[in-house]
Every structure is written in structure tokens, then in C-alpha cells.
Amino acid sequence: PLVRREWDIAARIGTGFALTVAAGALALPAGSATYWGGLVGDADRVGRIRLQIMLIAVIGGLAFLSYLLVNVVLAAVNADRLDQLQHHHYPIIEEIRLLQQDLNSMREGFATAVGLEDPVLLDDTRQVVQHARERLARLRTRDPDLADEVEGISAAFEAYVQPALLLTEALVADPRQLP
């Protein structure tokens, strides 16, 4: 994992090792101190090899169960986060993306209606303006925490749209008003 710079996996491996050592220290404090204090590097040690091997397996099993429990808890937390993203944040982001498209269409609609002196395009642009207002209203209700920000955006939107509509209507009705 380190060669591929997968730090999260390396951290989990290190955590698993640390949990194994900690579980051994909790289960057999004296034996753990003796082992890590000098026997770990002593190739000449003799003794109850079977018992030591069995204890290593038991400690490893306990550490693995602890590691598995940590991963199950993390998976549950991540599932909750993913659910929050899918059902709360993504619809808000999608609504904002569509609002941005409406605003671009509205700006182009105003310019095209004036350029072509076309009242039908102006009517289409009014519909886009209405869609943008509806999207802003939906954003207010989707997340009450965003209500103040959306209110400010709505005020700025109306401050732009009202004069733009009046100006566009006047220029479409009488294009000679252009300088």
C-alpha cells in the first residue's frame, strides 16, 4: 500500500498491528512485557512453543475481531453519510445546477428577444423566469439552513429580473428606443 500511496490502507494495517499488541498486553501483561522486552529478538529461547503459538493465534484472532468491528462501525457511518449525500445534498446540488441553467437561458432569452424583436421569445423567457423562481422556492423548502442565503439570492434575482423584463418588453415593443 505504501508504494501506491494508499495511506488509509497502511494506517489500517498499522492499527491492526497495534490492536494485536494491545490485546496481547491486556490478556497477558507479564508475558507481553517479557516478549516485547527481549524475547522477540532472541532466537535461542526455548519453552512452551505450543502455548506461545496458541496464544499468538488467540491474540491475533481477538485483534482481527477488533479490527473487523472497527470496520463494521466505519462502514455503517459511511453508509449514513452516503445516504445523506444521496437524499439531501445531491438534490440540492442538482436544483442549483438547474437554476444556473435557467439563469443562463434567461439571459440569452432577453438578448435574443431584443435582437430579433420577437415577443414569442420574450414569452418563453418569462416562462424561464418563472421556472427559476420555482427552483428558488424549492431550495428554500429543501434545506431550512439555506433559507437566508436563498432569500438573499432571490432578492438579487428579483432586483435583476424586474428591470430586465421591463427593458426587454420596451425594446421588443419599440426597437427604435435603442441608441
Side-chain angles (χ1 to χ4, degrees):
L2 295 178
V3 173
R4 294 184 302 221
R5 297 181 188 266
E6 295 173 342
W7 303 113
D8 59 331
I9 294 173
R12 287 183 181 171
I13 291 170
T15 302
F17 176 75
L19 286 173
T20 302
V21 172
L26 289 174
L28 298 169
S32 180
T34 302
Y35 178 76
W36 290 109
L39 290 180
V40 70
D42 184 9
D44 296 330
R45 67 182 190 269
V46 290
R48 297 169 283 168
I49 298 292
R50 288 185 184 172
L51 179 61
Q52 291 175 354
I53 291 173
M54 182 60 86
L55 285 177
I56 290 171
V58 168
I59 293 169
L62 289 172
F64 176 75
L65 288 175
S66 300
Y67 178 74
L68 185 63
L69 179 64
V70 166
N71 280 316
V72 167
V73 169
L74 289 175
V77 168
N78 286 338
D80 289 342
R81 287 181 183 165
L82 181 61
D83 186 57
Q84 181 76 4
L85 281 172
Q86 286 177 332
H87 295 102
H88 181 72
H89 296 294
Y90 179 75
I92 291 171
I93 292 169
E94 184 64 17
E95 199 72 53
I96 291 170
R97 187 186 67 77
L98 292 172
L99 177 62
Q100 184 178 15
Q101 285 179 352
D102 286 347
L103 295 175
N104 289 334
S105 296
M106 186 179 64
R107 181 181 43 82
E108 291 172 11
F110 286 143
T112 306
V114 169
L116 297 176
E117 302 170 10
D118 189 350
V120 174
L121 284 175
L122 181 57
D123 289 339
D124 291 345
T125 304
R126 282 190 188 106
Q127 289 178 354
V128 174
V129 167
Q130 187 56 37
H131 287 197
R133 285 179 177 141
E134 291 167 3
R135 288 190 198 289
L136 286 167
R138 279 195 298 271
L139 278 172
R140 263 187 233 110
T141 60
R142 280 193 191 271
D143 190 350
D145 294 336
L146 294 175
D148 291 339
E149 289 88 354
V150 173
E151 200 60 42
I153 293 169
S154 294
F157 174 78
E158 291 301 331
Y160 165 76
V161 165
Q162 293 304 325
L165 273 171
L166 291 173
L167 180 62
T168 304
E169 288 169 354
L171 292 174
V172 167
D174 186 10
R176 290 174 289 162
Q177 295 179 19
L178 283 174

